[in-house]
């Protein structure tokens, strides 16, 4: 049995679910471990905490790992901290460990693993690029309980379908915190967005840009014009509907955020342009040939505003 750990926000949860489905579709006996969301101690370092937002969507066909199944795969490590000797042994012989922790952009070996507990975010497109059509069919958004909000979202989605629409996601909020700013800040710069928007205009005449952000005043101060519409509809637990609206746009400009990556991935329009930053975190170095192979079909733009 292979178990994929679910954790983080909705974008990360979708990536873990996507890896789970890919493993399942190639014949693996696989489970999704959602226990992280039910143990607040595991989220002690996360200011706002997280919920299992996969369950906000229409019911998904995943099999949740039971406590017994997790214990079976992890053995003693399920209930005991990893010892220093065990850590050394794992580094010298990774295959001997009952779990595998993501440490790079792409690990092809996960598809041949047995009896493993997989820990990571699995953002790389290559993991599940060949099943995205399946995922689009499975990942659907339920009607909003707020009927008035549902009408406004329906109207916005209709406008996006009727125009040469481009979603633009600007994430600030938690990315302005000290720790997050060091890891994620300075990547989606104004130069990044200026070049991304210019690139789309060069390839798609008459484009209309729909801005999504957790900092609406910032967007209002920096982006104006007849071709701009700021979407400020969904907040709190309804925020995930922004991903649905992004998927209705014909083209997508993403932040270094898995949330907007999935807005683009769920976009079914043929000939779509998907723009993302050349790196996701400041600890990464963009190797153009590698990134183009791992994110096939995406346009990569650097923080300096250069198309890779």
């Amino acid at each position: 049995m292979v178990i994929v750990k679910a954790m983080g926000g909705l974008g990360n949860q979708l990536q873990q679910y996507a890896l789970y489905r890919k493993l399942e579709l190639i014949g693996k006996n696989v489970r999704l471990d959602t226990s992280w969301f039910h143990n607040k101690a595991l989220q002690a370092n996360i200011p706002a905490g997280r919920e299992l937002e996969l369950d906000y969507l229409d019911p998904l066909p995943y099999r949740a790992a039971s406590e017994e199944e997790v214990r079976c795969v992890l053995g003693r490590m399920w209930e005991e901290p990893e010892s220093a000797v065990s850590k050394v042994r794992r580094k010298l012989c990774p295959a001997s460990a009952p779990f595998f922790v993501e440490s790079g952009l792409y690990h092809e070996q996960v598809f041949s693993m047995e009896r493993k507990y997989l820990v990571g975010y699995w953002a790389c497109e290559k993991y599940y690029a060949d099943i995205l059509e399946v995922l689009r069919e499975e990942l659907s958004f339920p009607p909003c309980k707020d009927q008035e909000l549902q009408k406004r979202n329906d109207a916005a989605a209709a406008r996006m379908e009727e125009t040469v629409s481009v979603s633009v996601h600007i994430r600030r909020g938690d990315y302005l915190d000290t720790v997050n700013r060091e890891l994620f800040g300075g990547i989606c710069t104004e130069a990044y967005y200026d070049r991304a928007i210019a690139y789309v205009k060069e390839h798609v005449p008459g484009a209309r840009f729909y801005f999504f952000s957790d900092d609406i005043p910032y967007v209002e101060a920096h982006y104006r014009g007849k071709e701009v519409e700021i979407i400020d509809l969904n907040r709190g637990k309804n925020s995930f509907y922004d991903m649905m609206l992004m998927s209705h746009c014909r083209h997508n400009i993403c932040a270094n955020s898995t949330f907007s990556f999935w807005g683009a991935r769920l976009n079914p329009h043929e000939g779509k342009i998907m723009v993302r930053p050349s790196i996701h975190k400041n600890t990464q170095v963009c190797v153009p040939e590698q990134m183009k192979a791992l994110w096939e079909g995406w346009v990569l733009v650097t923080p300096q505003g250069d198309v890779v």
Side-chain angles (χ1 to χ4, degrees):
M1 178 179 291
V2 178
I3 297 177
V4 179
K5 181 178 182 178
M7 57 185 175
L10 179 57
N12 289 321
Q13 293 173 43
L14 287 171
Q15 286 163 178
Q16 291 145 0
Y17 171 77
L19 180 64
Y20 162 89
R21 283 294 282 140
K22 176 61 180 289
L23 290 168
E24 190 171 54
L25 289 169
I26 64 173
K28 296 288 185 181
N29 182 21
V30 60
R31 300 289 189 275
L32 190 68
D33 180 14
T34 62
S35 62
W36 186 84
F37 299 96
H38 311 300
N39 187 336
K40 297 305 178 184
L42 297 177
Q43 301 187 42
N45 295 324
I46 301 176
R50 295 290 189 180
E51 295 186 15
L52 183 59
E53 293 180 79
L54 285 180
D55 288 349
Y56 290 6
L57 305 177
D58 285 337
L60 293 169
Y62 70 83
R63 293 179 291 178
S66 67
E67 184 176 298
E68 182 179 351
E69 288 169 331
V70 175
R71 185 188 297 113
C72 182
V73 171
L74 288 180
R76 291 176 57 189
M77 295 187 69
W78 180 78
E79 54 189 10
E80 298 177 8
E82 187 179 18
S83 68
V85 173
S86 177
K87 289 180 181 178
V88 172
R89 185 184 298 119
R90 176 166 57 86
K91 289 181 179 179
L92 293 175
C93 184
S96 66
F99 62 89
F100 177 84
V101 180
E102 176 188 36
S103 60
L105 292 176
Y106 182 69
H107 300 280
E108 187 172 7
Q109 64 266 41
V110 298
F111 297 117
S112 59
M113 289 180 175
E114 301 290 346
R115 198 178 175 81
K116 285 288 183 183
Y117 187 91
L118 304 180
V119 181
Y121 294 106
W122 322 110
C124 181
E125 187 93 339
K126 190 172 181 179
Y127 281 119
Y128 32 78
D130 59 339
I131 66 162
L132 281 174
E133 187 172 343
V134 172
L135 295 172
R136 289 188 198 106
E137 293 177 357
E138 293 178 352
L139 300 172
S140 59
F141 298 80
C144 182
K145 294 178 181 179
D146 182 334
Q147 294 185 0
E148 183 58 34
L149 179 58
Q150 178 68 41
K151 290 179 182 178
R152 296 177 70 189
N153 275 323
D154 286 344
R159 291 197 301 278
M160 293 165 185
E161 292 289 348
E162 293 166 358
T163 58
V164 184
S165 51
V166 185
S167 70
V168 182
H169 184 214
I170 297 180
R171 180 170 176 176
R172 286 168 59 82
D174 60 336
Y175 276 17
L176 300 180
D177 296 341
T178 302
V179 175
N180 283 335
R181 184 168 64 246
E182 183 177 343
L183 188 59
F184 298 110
I187 293 174
C188 289
T189 60
E190 290 183 16
Y192 165 78
Y193 285 109
D194 288 346
R195 185 66 188 99
I197 290 170
Y199 181 93
V200 172
K201 287 182 176 180
E202 290 166 8
H203 292 80
V204 185
R208 181 171 178 80
F209 297 89
Y210 294 85
F211 282 78
F212 298 82
S213 181
D214 53 4
D215 190 345
I216 295 299
Y218 172 87
V219 176
E220 290 175 336
H222 287 78
Y223 299 95
R224 300 187 182 92
K226 294 181 179 179
E227 62 191 9
V228 169
E229 181 174 340
I230 298 171
I231 303 297
D232 184 18
L233 296 173
N234 302 297
R235 299 184 179 184
K237 286 194 174 184
N238 289 319
S239 295
F240 75 108
Y241 286 111
D242 276 357
M243 185 185 293
M244 178 271 293
L245 291 176
M246 291 178 190
S247 74
H248 279 282
C249 290
R250 296 181 179 275
H251 310 282
N252 309 94
I253 295 173
C254 301
N256 54 330
S257 167
T258 58
F259 188 93
S260 50
F261 289 172
W262 278 100
R265 286 167 174 157
L266 296 178
N267 172 0
H269 294 98
E270 294 185 7
K272 64 182 177 181
I273 295 172
M274 299 178 293
V275 184
R276 60 148 291 171
S278 57
I279 57 173
H280 188 80
K281 296 182 280 190
N282 285 312
T283 53
Q284 296 174 342
V285 175
C286 175
V287 180
E289 295 76 13
Q290 179 190 40
M291 283 297 293
K292 289 178 181 179
L294 297 180
W295 291 76
E296 189 174 353
W298 288 71
V299 178
L300 309 173
V301 178
T302 69
Q304 295 74 33
D306 299 315
V307 176
V308 173

